[in-house]
Amino acid sequence: MSRHTPIVHKTRTQVVVEVLREKILSGEIAAGEPLRQSALAEELNVSRIPVREALLQLEAEGLVKFEAHKGATATELSAAQVTELFELRALIETDLLAKAIPNLQDEDLIQAEKVLEQLESAFKQEDAIGSWAELNTKFHTTLYQAANRPHTLEVVHGLNTNCDRYIRLQLLLTGGIPRAEQDHRDLLSYCKQKQTDKAVALLREHILHAAGAIRDLVAEQVK
């Protein structure tokens, strides 16, 4: 190697994130179970600050939610919900894309390229996990807007909001980033070439492949 590989020193927060994520995904911490900061700090032998920071990161990943008067709790993961949400996305988003491609202008494609570069950059940054879903949605939206179906786009945004945590988990925990990057690049290429059939087929496979990977992840959790 041309340069020394640095020893990766994990912060206390990173360690707490990994421990709590594993406990939630393995079911050791049950869905709806309160996550009391003082108790967790004592159990993990750290101060409350890294626990608080870890819970906020896990909230960004969709594994924890904060509620008024209740504090942080573990969220529920549902294979049935994954199936319904992602199949709906596959139906609606492929239709939107097919309607959009004939209308795509150069400026739309330039904007999509810019957003894709931002997303690829965010994938490489550990502290940018919270922005993955937002940039992913922005990339797809840039392509779909040319369909001129604002109400349909609103429905898609609602579905994406509900899918956010599952998408993050899939990318984080199933090694999904390289495939997602390749799919996005290929999708943009097909859109530029106005190859509607190929673009639609790829988008459907992109969404349903993610659903399958997430269902496997959730099934592992509930064993």
Side-chain angles (χ1 to χ4, degrees):
M1 290 180 70
S2 58
R3 60 195 177 90
H4 296 296
T5 304
I7 295 168
V8 178
H9 175 71
K10 291 182 180 174
T11 64
R12 281 194 175 86
T13 300
Q14 285 173 307
V15 173
V16 175
V17 164
E18 288 175 13
V19 170
L20 293 181
R21 186 197 284 135
E22 178 57 34
K23 284 176 180 284
I24 293 169
L25 288 173
S26 67
E28 188 180 331
I29 294 175
E33 188 175 322
L35 298 162
R36 311 226 178 276
Q37 292 178 36
S38 53
L40 289 170
E42 193 175 328
E43 180 190 337
L44 300 172
N45 197 26
V46 294
S47 71
R48 288 177 63 169
I49 293 169
V51 172
R52 170 76 180 168
E53 289 172 347
L55 290 175
L56 287 169
Q57 184 172 326
L58 291 168
E59 182 188 31
E61 292 177 22
L63 290 178
V64 166
K65 62 179 175 181
F66 285 88
E67 296 177 88
H69 315 301
K70 199 174 177 184
T73 57
T75 54
E76 186 173 357
L77 299 171
S78 159
Q81 186 184 49
V82 170
T83 300
E84 182 180 6
L85 288 172
F86 281 75
E87 285 182 359
L88 262 174
R89 281 188 58 208
L91 280 169
I92 298 172
E93 292 186 37
T94 51
D95 183 59
L96 263 183
L97 185 65
K99 288 181 169 70
I101 287 175
N103 302 330
L104 282 169
Q105 304 298 311
D106 287 347
E107 54 263 35
D108 300 320
L109 296 165
I110 290 166
Q111 176 63 18
E113 181 95 41
K114 282 180 184 170
V115 176
L116 191 50
E117 285 170 3
Q118 291 173 333
L119 177 58
E120 288 169 348
S121 174
F123 278 153
K124 295 175 177 64
Q125 300 166 34
E126 277 190 21
D127 59 352
I129 292 168
S131 69
W132 289 359
E134 182 189 343
L135 288 167
N136 183 63
T137 299
K138 193 174 176 185
F139 168 69
H140 285 277
T141 300
T142 305
L143 297 176
Y144 302 158
Q145 275 174 333
N148 299 316
R149 296 288 177 106
H151 297 295
T152 312
L153 206 51
E154 211 170 295
V155 172
V156 167
H157 284 161
L159 290 171
N160 276 310
T161 299
N162 286 303
C163 290
D164 277 1
R165 64 181 176 150
Y166 293 117
I167 293 169
R168 272 194 288 263
L169 288 177
Q170 183 236 343
L171 293 169
L172 265 175
L173 302 176
T174 67
I177 289 175
R179 170 156 182 165
E181 288 185 321
Q182 189 60 55
D183 282 357
H184 287 148
R185 281 283 155 199
D186 290 345
L187 186 64
L188 185 57
S189 178
Y190 290 145
C191 288
K192 286 176 179 176
Q193 296 162 25
K194 304 283 196 228
Q195 292 187 301
T196 303
D197 290 349
K198 285 186 176 180
V200 166
L202 174 61
L203 180 61
R204 181 179 288 108
E205 172 59 22
H206 176 70
I207 293 170
L208 296 180
H209 173 267
I214 297 159
R215 275 197 301 270
D216 290 346
L217 194 67
V218 174
E220 283 294 318
Q221 184 219 4
V222 297
K223 272 183 182 175

